Amino acid sequence: MSTTAELLKGAAELFPDEVVTSAHVRHLDLPFGAGRFALVTLDNGFDHTKPTTFGPQSLANLNAAIDQVEQEALAGSIVGAGITGKPFIFAVGADLKGVELLKNHDEALAIGKGGHDVFKRLAALAVPTFAYYNGAAMGGGVEVGLHCTYRTVSKAIPAFSLPEVFLGLVPGWGGCALLPNLIGAERAVSVIIENSLNQNKQLRGKQVFDLGIADALFEGADFLEQSLLWTANVLNGTTEVVREEIDRGEAWDAAVAKGRFIADSKVHGAAPAAYRALDIIAAAKDGDLQAGFDAEDTALADLIMGGELRSGIYAFNLVQKRAKRPAGAPDKSLARPVTKVGVVGAGLMASQLALLFLRRLEVPVVLTDIDQERVDKGVGYVHAEIQKLLGKGRINQDKANRLTALVTGVLDKAEGFADADFIIEAVFEEMSVKQKVFAEVEAVAPAHAILATNTSSLSVSEMASKLQHPERVVGFHFFNPVAILPLLEIVRGEQTDDASLATAFGVAKKLKKTAVLTKDAPAFVVNRILTRFMGEIQNVIDEGTPVVTAEKAIEPLGLPMSPLVLLELVGPAIGLHVSETLNRAFPERFTVSPNLAAVVKAGKRGFYVYSAENGFKPELDPEVAALLVQGDSVLTEEQVRDRVLDAVAQEIGLMLEEGVVAEAQDIDLCLITGAGWPFHLGGITPYLDREGVSERVNGKKFLAPGLASVPA
């Protein structure tokens, strides 16, 4: 039987590039004469921009620190031991770069077992142990604290979570077994399942305390000092820690059932992690922690060797790393400063853009439109949103006053744009309208000003073709809702120069958007793929497959919403317009559905109606059903799914051949950040590779082995 030290030594050899975390032990005399105390500080030697993680050598270092503390506890030379982190960071869990390298089940099992063996020792010490959550804590960082006797948390913590299910894992170092036994199954399911599947929602310090995860809450400024005072009082018996009794009856079962309902609604059974976590939580009801730890080890190893986790890590790396260094972006030193922004249009989209530029750039923003009423409405929207932020305490009165003063509206473009550096149009999606607007703007804007278009499908090059200076026109396509979806497709027209493009990328970074460079091709990336996807669904319905079959066929992808609910969100008229644009460009692959045209003509907002009697579930609108003209070709769910995925794989293959984006990774980054495509799929290309669709359609996989799959 391997010892923990041997296990970790073997794992460390597999991972030579680990950023190693030290576990420093120092001693201090607690106040009020409480006695000598050992404090372990986790620190990887870097500032807060490189958070502390647990790779195998880091676990070995913590294990060695516990060796020392254990001897001191047995000798009676300390009364307690604590664990804390470097400034702003407690610890953010397992080092995923190491997980990516694991090639077999035994190696994966060793990682789970190694973490458990080290962390369990904190609970087994002969003295009480304390975790001081001083900064960001995630995954294994949260779990190491759960093994301690007591916990304190800083009010200043911005991020605390067990995000494993989001990535395709389970909390595997005690989280699934310990958390429900500490705070009850319902709250644990909320943290482990619901928050993870809700785009990896983070908790703040007070929420951690309110949930009962921490026993005390202190201000960030003197957090450790206050925690040590509290520790002394606990050890002296002055402060008694009282925790709520755990309901191990029907409430536990109901919480697990609720978790399964949440998982079903989010991933539709398409991803195993949530269900494995729920099985462990269900079994933890009897309080047998060791059985829970063993189940975590097995689940962790199984999931590490599965495609979902590799896709989840791939997606995580896209969003965390590739997004910060956009492929093909020009040298940032070419970017020009932006000290004033102009917005053409004052409708809802234009107003949302104005608010975003205002909040992120904090420079003057001016809106124009065709009449004063529209201008006033647009400026009024921005002012109202600023007041909402003030009301919620997100900004103070001084900032609210400053932002309100920075946004204005005028009818005269010459007056509004004469000193603007960046002007974006968000007017009607019609080429002649946009060309006219740009001609008017070019006549009054300074020579250096960037002219950006928020078009979703029209040619940026054609839009710029009649201008004196087409080189300064760039596509700047946002996704709705602007405040929520991170993606920004930056489109290089045929004549766009590097300085204009670099300025656009510089602005995107300040807007905190994920910018992806795309070629000026019809509908760019997201809308082209979604239109092909939706078009094939529409085709099978038009040919005779029932609506419910076509919709259910896509459920195994675990998308955030069904295709026809998405169509409702986008708007049938916009969906029809984009399909017409793409049909003109690629008539052999993109169809215009006569049934969709009929739905738009009838003024319907979508295919479904919702009623309280049916629990607001989507039901086919009888009026829409009466409009549908269908053929007699009825496909099964599997046939529909194959046909839709084949179409998407073909389209992505063609887009990569055309050079619409640099690599398949950019397609996935766009779908994750612009269309809410699931993290556990890694976007779309890993899924198509895993299901054999890529090879069936294109004769090859999109991604290299090991990139979003288990290394060979």
Side-chain angles (χ1 to χ4, degrees):
M1 186 83 179
S2 296
T3 65
T4 302
E6 287 166 348
L7 208 64
L8 293 171
K9 185 171 183 289
E13 285 166 5
L14 296 171
F15 185 18
D17 298 327
E18 175 185 352
V19 176
V20 177
T21 296
S22 300
H24 305 287
V25 182
R26 60 189 170 111
H27 296 90
L28 42 102
D29 292 318
L30 289 171
F32 316 127
R36 192 161 179 260
F37 189 78
L39 181 65
V40 179
T41 303
L42 303 169
D43 191 344
N44 61 6
F46 294 91
D47 69 11
H48 65 280
T49 59
K50 192 160 235 175
T52 304
T53 52
F54 291 120
Q57 185 56 53
S58 305
L59 285 173
N61 289 346
L62 178 58
N63 198 44
I66 297 172
D67 282 343
Q68 179 187 339
V69 173
E70 186 179 58
Q71 293 302 317
E72 292 169 353
L74 288 170
S77 63
I78 56 170
V79 293
I83 187 165
T84 192
K86 67 183 183 181
F88 309 110
I89 304 287
F90 182 77
V92 297
D95 191 322
L96 291 177
K97 294 193 296 299
V99 173
E100 284 176 87
L101 301 172
L102 301 175
K103 292 182 181 177
N104 63 56
H105 200 273
D106 287 349
E107 289 174 0
L109 202 58
I111 286 293
K113 202 167 167 352
H116 271 132
D117 287 352
V118 175
F119 290 2
K120 273 191 317 191
R121 299 183 67 200
L122 288 165
L125 287 176
V127 292
T129 49
F130 297 77
Y132 306 130
Y133 291 124
N134 64 303
M138 295 173 204
V142 169
E143 289 171 300
V144 70
L146 294 178
H147 285 269
C148 294
T149 324
Y150 304 101
R151 285 155 294 283
T152 67
V153 68
S154 165
K155 277 187 189 174
I157 284 190
F160 183 105
S161 65
L162 289 170
E164 287 85 351
V165 167
F166 176 67
L167 291 168
L169 280 174
V170 297
W173 285 342
C176 290
L178 290 168
L179 194 63
N181 279 293
L182 176 67
I183 63 174
E186 186 178 359
R187 288 174 170 182
V189 164
S190 173
V191 174
I192 294 169
I193 306 297
E194 191 168 13
N195 288 358
S196 269
L197 293 179
N198 190 13
Q199 292 300 310
N200 193 19
K201 182 183 172 190
Q202 300 293 317
L203 298 169
R204 293 179 178 272
K206 185 170 186 311
Q207 292 168 301
V208 174
F209 173 70
D210 290 343
L211 283 166
I213 299 172
D215 302 303
L217 175 73
F218 299 114
E219 294 291 346
D222 57 352
F223 170 71
L224 189 56
E225 186 183 344
Q226 292 300 322
S227 292
L228 291 169
L229 287 168
W230 181 84
T231 298
N233 283 327
V234 169
L235 292 171
N236 279 339
T238 313
T239 296
E240 186 186 0
V241 174
V242 181
R243 297 185 182 132
E244 289 178 29
E245 199 171 331
I246 303 300
D247 186 333
R248 298 183 185 277
E250 287 178 16
W252 194 291
D253 300 332
V256 172
K258 181 187 172 189
R260 293 194 195 284
F261 174 79
I262 291 165
D264 285 343
S265 67
K266 291 285 188 182
V267 300
H268 308 284
Y275 302 98
R276 294 295 293 266
L278 286 163
D279 289 344
I280 301 168
I281 293 169
K285 183 177 173 180
D286 63 2
D288 184 343
L289 293 179
Q290 188 53 53
F293 297 162
D294 292 343
E296 286 175 352
D297 286 342
T298 305
L300 203 61
D302 290 349
L303 291 166
I304 283 172
M305 298 317 294
E308 183 208 357
L309 169 69
R310 305 302 170 137
S311 294
I313 294 175
Y314 165 79
F316 181 80
N317 287 337
L318 290 181
V319 171
Q320 293 296 318
K321 296 175 183 171
R322 193 176 183 90
K324 292 179 173 62
R325 290 186 290 277
D331 190 322
K332 57 177 183 264
S333 67
L334 298 171
R336 293 191 284 260
V338 172
T339 59
K340 183 178 179 181
V341 173
V343 182
V344 186
L348 183 59
M349 188 67 176
S351 303
Q352 287 183 63
L353 294 180
L355 179 68
L356 179 69
F357 278 93
L358 182 69
R359 286 197 66 200
R360 297 285 186 235
L361 271 59
E362 294 191 27
V363 299
V365 175
V366 59
L367 294 97
T368 70
D369 213 314
I370 53 175
D371 60 53
Q372 192 64 45
E373 188 183 343
R374 291 181 202 217
V375 170
D376 292 345
K377 189 177 177 185
V379 174
Y381 168 89
V382 179
H383 286 173
E385 291 298 312
I386 293 167
Q387 286 306 306
K388 281 186 199 169
L389 292 168
L390 177 64
K392 290 175 185 171
R394 302 273 293 278
I395 55 174
N396 60 26
Q397 187 66 58
D398 179 52
K399 182 128 185 210
N401 293 345
R402 198 163 72 250
L403 292 177
T404 301
L406 283 172
V407 63
T408 55
V410 294
L411 279 175
D412 182 5
K413 291 186 181 70
E415 179 190 341
F417 298 157
D419 55 350
D421 307 301
F422 192 99
I423 300 159
I424 184 164
E425 69 74 24
V427 299
F428 187 64
E429 193 76 343
E430 180 68 54
M431 182 60 76
S432 59
V433 176
K434 291 186 184 281
Q435 284 181 331
K436 180 173 181 285
V437 161
F438 269 166
E440 290 170 0
V441 170
E442 187 179 50
V444 297
H448 69 273
I450 304 299
L451 307 185
T453 169
N454 184 43
T455 183
S456 60
S457 61
L458 299 176
S459 166
V460 174
S461 304
E462 189 182 341
M463 216 177 288
S465 62
K466 297 181 179 176
L467 297 179
Q468 307 251 300
H469 294 284
E471 70 278 359
R472 56 174 168 162
V473 176
V474 64
F476 216 62
H477 179 218
F478 290 88
F479 288 78
N480 221 346
V482 170
I484 295 170
L485 289 175
L487 181 63
L488 182 55
E489 291 177 340
I490 295 186
V491 186
R492 181 170 207 153
E494 285 169 14
Q495 301 200 48
T496 308
D497 64 21
D498 281 354
S500 300
L501 204 59
T503 306
F505 273 100
V507 169
K509 189 171 184 182
K510 286 184 178 166
L511 294 176
K512 297 187 178 173
K513 291 294 180 187
T514 297
V516 174
L517 178 63
T518 100
K519 186 179 169 184
D520 186 19
F524 318 125
V525 179
V526 172
N527 283 344
R528 179 161 164 185
I529 293 169
L530 289 186
T531 304
R532 185 79 197 272
F533 177 80
M534 304 282 285
E536 214 53 54
I537 297 272
Q538 199 72 59
N539 287 343
V540 299
I541 292 171
D542 292 355
E543 290 163 19
T545 298
V547 169
V548 66
T549 305
E551 288 270 83
K552 274 187 74 65
I554 304 304
E555 279 190 0
L557 272 75
L559 299 178
M561 62 189 76
S562 77
L564 293 182
V565 173
L566 175 63
L567 181 68
E568 204 169 288
L569 186 73
V570 171
I574 292 172
L576 180 65
H577 173 75
V578 177
S579 69
E580 287 169 343
T581 302
L582 281 159
N583 172 253
R584 285 194 294 274
F586 309 114
E588 68 286 359
R589 298 195 311 279
F590 287 85
T591 53
V592 179
S593 164
N595 281 322
L596 179 58
V599 168
V600 172
K601 189 177 178 185
K604 304 301 291 184
R605 295 187 56 172
F607 277 63
Y608 294 130
V609 285
Y610 303 84
S611 63
E613 303 89 76
N614 190 36
F616 296 103
K617 288 179 185 160
E619 288 180 284
L620 188 60
D621 183 341
E623 291 179 20
V624 170
L627 291 171
L628 295 182
V629 178
Q630 292 182 280
D632 55 9
S633 172
V634 180
L635 301 183
T636 64
E637 287 177 25
E638 192 175 353
Q639 287 171 324
V640 171
R641 188 161 56 251
D642 283 350
R643 192 160 141 187
V644 170
L645 292 176
D646 284 4
V648 170
Q650 182 195 32
E651 204 58 41
I652 293 171
L654 291 166
M655 289 167 71
L656 292 171
E657 278 177 27
E658 292 168 28
V660 175
V661 289
E663 291 180 288
Q665 287 94 312
D666 294 311
I667 300 268
D668 293 319
L669 183 57
C670 284
L671 285 174
I672 292 164
T673 56
W677 217 269
F679 239 69
H680 66 260
L681 294 186
I684 181 67
T685 67
Y687 180 81
L688 295 172
D689 284 355
R690 206 160 61 236
E691 296 295 311
V693 182
S694 314
E695 288 178 280
R696 183 170 74 225
V697 175
N698 300 320
K700 60 181 180 181
K701 290 185 173 180
F702 287 114
L703 300 171
L707 193 55
S709 54
V710 178

